[in-house]
Amino acid sequence: MSKRNQVVETGLDGAVRLSRRIGDGEVKKGDTILQVRDLGVKFWVNGEWFDAADHVDYDLRAGEVLAIVGESGSGKTQSSMSLIGLLPPNGRATGSAKLKGTELIGLSGTRLREVRGNEIAVIFQEPMTALNPVYTVGFQIAETLRTHFVMAPSQAKVRALDLMKLVEIPEPEASFDKYPHQLSGGQRQRIMIAQSLACDPKLLIADEPTTALDVTVQAEILKLMRELRERVDAAIILITHDMGVVADMADRIIVMKDGRVVEHGTSDEIFNRPQHPYTQALLAAVPHLGTTATDFAPALKVSLVSDGTTPVPLAPGDEGATAALLMEDVCIDYPKQGRRPVFRAAHNINLRVDPGRVVGLVGESGSGKTTIGRAAVALLPIAEGKLSVAGRDITHATNADLYPFRRDVGIVFQDPGSSLNPRLPVGESIGEPLYLHEKLRGSELSKRVEALLDSVELPRSMRNRYPHELSGGQRQRIGIARSLALEPKLLIADEPTSALDVSVQARVLKLFADLQARYGFACLFISHDLAVVEMLSSQIAVMKDGRLVEVGPTPEIVNNPQHPYTQRLLSAVPVPDPAEQKKRRELRDAIIAQQHIVS
């Protein structure tokens, strides 16, 4: 549909509305939007074709959410990207995909450009890379509008601001002129949704739309998508590995494995009566909040809660034990940068991790979790208070003092792909701490590296590969092996499984638990996934706005949270059960409404 077939109307209230001329075809809820038959995707690699997806069939109706789930490499993303010609140059799509009777496979040129953004829109997995960093977010929404509609810049801006209000961007007039890096992850995702809805598309493809978001922002984004589905009657293809999100959103589900559809059914059928062994294994691998009991006896019997004016007191530790990590009234500042003043990221933190224990640290993005973890391994200085690791006071330690300290601590970063040296084989990365601290060389070093690879269940031959040659789960195992090379007394695990598929995540978490039991290291496990934290931790500390608001034993925090923020955080966690998730969603809305009334 060309620009001349589209018109823009300005109402008496000043709002800009889009309309299409007669003959475009009105879409009503329940109408079939998309028919996919025998869809296949192939890639030409090293002189031969490899199947990424094969014999994919489904129908999609207006107002319906179809979730496509499966592990990385199952073909869920590539089969959907083939609908709008976004395959890499070595990719080829076959079969048929008709959007309201228009064949999409093989479409190119002007007609394909008209379909993209106008009739089919995409919410990409990482908005920071999908949005152009050199243009303001308002300009990018307006650009989409002016590409497909004949409208003045002023009209495009009015429509863009309406869309930003629709997705609940705070202060849309001020945010219009901001660049992507000036917005939070949740706000960038909202801008991506606003841009995708700019032209009132018939079909919306949401590719992992909440992967990198914390649970409260994720709950807000999912609520927004549910409301928009009802408001615009768009059909949605939801691509995700988060079964909690699927339970919250999906009407029907396709399960893919190795490029093929292994099961297709309603949300109720897939979750409650899965037939295929792979679907059963996929659901079994999903951590379910409230069903996992820890094996550790917690030091606390009840939660310690802040009233907002005084810090949470230091929890008692194991009798006679020297804490692996001890923070007493710790404050952490980020220094002044240009016109930006000193920023206090952590206030009066009292936290204790005893030897052999795992303490989970949870909270929203920006709450200060990673700041605490980085300070614990002396990557950030302490402004006030006292910090001790394994009985050693490092509050004001110099670089010379920290050299022997580095043997006692390890850290597993959130993204092992960026924390591993891309120029070194992974075997050298694992052996580097041994080379520097224990002066190991030759065959002795090689034996230790191979033993570490064995401990994380990777083949020894993998030591000669580079990071880019490994999958995400394999790179995370390499990161764990490297952090354990010196057998540290304290390990900081910063979101180590946030970007992994559920099946890979389950294997990595089991491996982590086994290694913790074998080596007996203390661990501060930082995550926004409360179900994962519950699996591993004997104690949970909850952070909000740089302050600890509640600390307590895991069963107490999960089943009987005391602080209103902890209650809201727990209610936002999606669970892989459609009926239970509906109840949790209603409970969360009630909690938020009640807290608004109180405030």
Side-chain angles (χ1 to χ4, degrees):
M1 181 171 53
S2 62
K3 286 186 178 183
R4 64 178 177 273
N5 290 326
Q6 306 182 63
V7 294
V8 179
E9 300 172 348
T10 304
L12 296 176
D13 57 357
V16 174
R17 300 178 181 86
L18 311 179
S19 63
R20 296 177 171 88
R21 296 190 187 280
I22 296 172
D24 179 45
E26 196 68 27
V27 176
K28 298 179 181 178
K29 189 170 185 177
D31 289 352
T32 299
I33 292 287
L34 181 68
Q35 293 179 309
V36 175
R37 296 290 182 270
D38 199 28
L39 178 65
V41 178
K42 300 177 184 290
F43 291 99
W44 181 258
V45 182
N46 295 330
E48 57 181 312
W49 289 102
F50 285 89
D51 289 326
D54 194 24
H55 299 297
V56 178
D57 297 289
Y58 60 85
D59 290 338
L60 186 58
R61 291 178 285 275
E64 183 179 54
V65 177
L66 172 70
I68 305 180
V69 302
E71 297 178 334
S72 294
S74 62
K76 56 186 189 295
T77 295
Q78 297 302 340
S79 61
S80 298
M81 292 301 106
S82 67
L83 302 179
I84 49 176
L86 288 183
L87 294 177
N90 64 331
R92 183 181 70 180
T94 58
S96 172
K98 293 183 178 180
L99 180 73
K100 294 292 290 180
T102 300
E103 181 61 64
L104 299 174
I105 304 303
L107 204 63
S108 62
T110 302
R111 184 65 184 113
L112 179 60
R113 288 192 294 273
E114 290 172 353
V115 168
R116 288 176 177 169
N118 189 15
E119 298 179 48
I120 303 178
V122 182
I123 303 172
F124 291 99
Q125 181 171 357
E126 178 45 68
M128 191 62 190
T129 55
L131 294 171
N132 193 321
V134 301
Y135 292 111
T136 63
V137 295
F139 173 84
Q140 293 184 62
I141 298 173
E143 181 186 36
T144 302
L145 289 161
R146 298 193 68 204
T147 298
H148 292 283
F149 293 85
V150 179
M151 59 168 49
S154 58
Q155 289 179 306
K157 182 173 182 178
V158 171
R159 171 69 174 167
L161 288 171
D162 287 342
L163 288 163
M164 292 171 72
K165 293 173 185 174
L166 180 69
V167 298
E168 299 177 6
I169 290 288
E171 300 179 353
E173 289 79 8
S175 298
F176 185 90
D177 293 319
K178 289 183 178 179
Y179 292 89
H181 72 273
Q182 295 175 302
L183 303 178
S184 69
Q187 289 172 344
R188 285 196 294 267
Q189 196 65 278
R190 289 168 187 263
I191 291 295
M192 179 70 68
I193 293 173
Q195 187 178 30
S196 67
L197 294 175
C199 300
D200 292 338
K202 300 172 184 174
L203 173 62
L204 187 62
I205 301 174
D207 186 8
E208 301 279 11
T210 62
T211 294
L213 304 179
D214 52 59
V215 288
T216 49
V217 178
Q218 173 179 270
E220 292 168 4
I221 294 295
L222 294 178
K223 181 181 180 182
L224 170 66
M225 290 181 67
R226 282 193 302 273
E227 291 172 350
L228 292 175
R229 175 184 62 171
E230 298 298 326
R231 199 175 304 175
V232 301
D233 278 343
I236 299 176
I237 296 177
L238 176 65
I239 304 167
T240 184
H241 63 252
D242 190 329
M243 299 304 289
V245 171
V246 173
D248 201 6
M249 287 286 296
D251 299 306
R252 290 187 297 117
I253 301 170
I254 287 176
V255 183
M256 293 190 69
K257 184 179 187 298
D258 300 328
R260 290 183 174 269
V261 175
V262 297
E263 193 160 357
H264 185 179
T266 65
S267 182
D268 176 65
E269 289 169 347
I270 296 297
F271 277 101
N272 298 317
R273 295 177 297 279
Q275 301 299 312
H276 196 276
Y278 175 73
T279 309
Q280 296 168 358
L282 197 66
L283 290 170
V286 180
H288 196 307
L289 184 69
T291 61
T292 306
T294 57
D295 297 326
F296 303 102
L300 296 177
K301 299 302 180 186
V302 294
S303 296
L304 301 172
V305 186
S306 169
D307 61 3
T309 58
T310 58
V312 172
L314 185 64
D318 293 343
E319 188 174 348
T322 300
L325 172 65
L326 185 63
M327 291 185 168
E328 300 176 88
D329 293 320
V330 165
C331 298
I332 304 169
D333 293 342
Y334 283 99
K336 178 181 178 181
Q337 290 184 342
R339 296 181 180 179
R340 184 181 301 171
V342 173
F343 172 69
R344 177 146 293 186
H347 306 258
N348 301 107
I349 302 299
N350 289 303
L351 185 64
R352 180 186 179 107
V353 183
D354 281 317
R357 298 293 181 89
V358 180
V359 174
L361 185 61
V362 302
E364 296 176 329
S365 296
S367 62
K369 306 187 301 293
T370 297
T371 296
I372 296 297
R374 291 174 68 85
V377 293
L379 292 178
L380 286 175
I382 303 299
E384 297 177 19
K386 181 181 178 181
L387 171 63
S388 301
V389 174
R392 181 188 284 115
D393 186 349
I394 62 166
T395 307
H396 303 293
T398 64
N399 287 335
D401 297 331
L402 290 175
Y403 182 78
F405 158 79
R406 300 291 184 198
R407 293 181 54 88
D408 294 335
V409 297
I411 184 167
V412 182
F413 293 98
Q414 182 172 358
D415 182 7
S418 60
S419 61
L420 294 172
N421 191 329
R423 298 182 178 181
L424 293 181
V426 294
E428 288 190 31
S429 291
I430 293 173
E432 189 176 29
L434 297 166
Y435 180 89
L436 294 174
H437 285 274
E438 296 191 1
K439 312 301 180 186
L440 294 186
R441 304 290 188 274
S443 61
E444 193 175 357
L445 176 61
S446 181
K447 288 179 182 177
R448 289 283 293 275
V449 169
E450 289 176 350
L452 285 163
L453 285 169
D454 291 341
S455 71
V456 295
E457 300 174 5
L458 287 176
R460 295 180 178 184
S461 59
M462 202 165 280
R463 61 179 299 174
N464 296 316
R465 295 191 186 181
Y466 290 86
H468 72 272
E469 297 178 296
L470 307 180
S471 69
Q474 290 170 337
R475 283 197 297 265
Q476 198 59 276
R477 289 168 185 251
I478 294 296
I480 293 173
R482 189 175 193 270
S483 68
L484 296 177
L486 297 173
E487 300 186 7
K489 297 175 182 176
L490 173 67
L491 184 70
I492 306 298
D494 187 7
E495 300 275 13
T497 61
S498 62
L500 302 181
D501 295 326
V502 287
S503 53
V504 178
Q505 174 182 269
R507 292 194 291 270
V508 170
L509 290 174
K510 183 180 185 303
L511 169 68
F512 187 89
D514 292 343
L515 290 172
Q516 200 277 334
R518 185 190 312 173
Y519 290 103
F521 54 81
C523 178
L524 183 65
F525 194 94
I526 301 168
S527 179
H528 64 251
D529 191 331
L530 281 152
V532 168
V533 170
E534 184 194 12
M535 287 177 62
L536 298 173
S537 306
S538 60
Q539 194 169 302
I540 295 177
V542 184
M543 285 199 75
K544 182 180 187 295
D545 299 332
R547 291 178 168 84
L548 286 179
V549 297
E550 188 166 2
V551 178
T554 297
E556 187 74 19
I557 294 290
V558 171
N559 300 313
N560 188 29
Q562 301 299 308
H563 196 278
Y565 174 73
T566 310
Q567 296 169 359
R568 194 164 73 246
L569 198 66
L570 285 162
S571 68
V573 179
V575 295
D577 183 322
E580 184 180 346
Q581 177 56 26
K582 183 179 179 181
K583 294 178 183 177
R584 291 179 64 85
R585 190 165 63 236
E586 293 170 351
L587 174 63
R588 178 177 182 272
D589 292 342
I591 289 173
I592 292 174
Q594 180 64 33
Q595 291 178 2
H596 282 168
I597 292 172
V598 172
S599 59

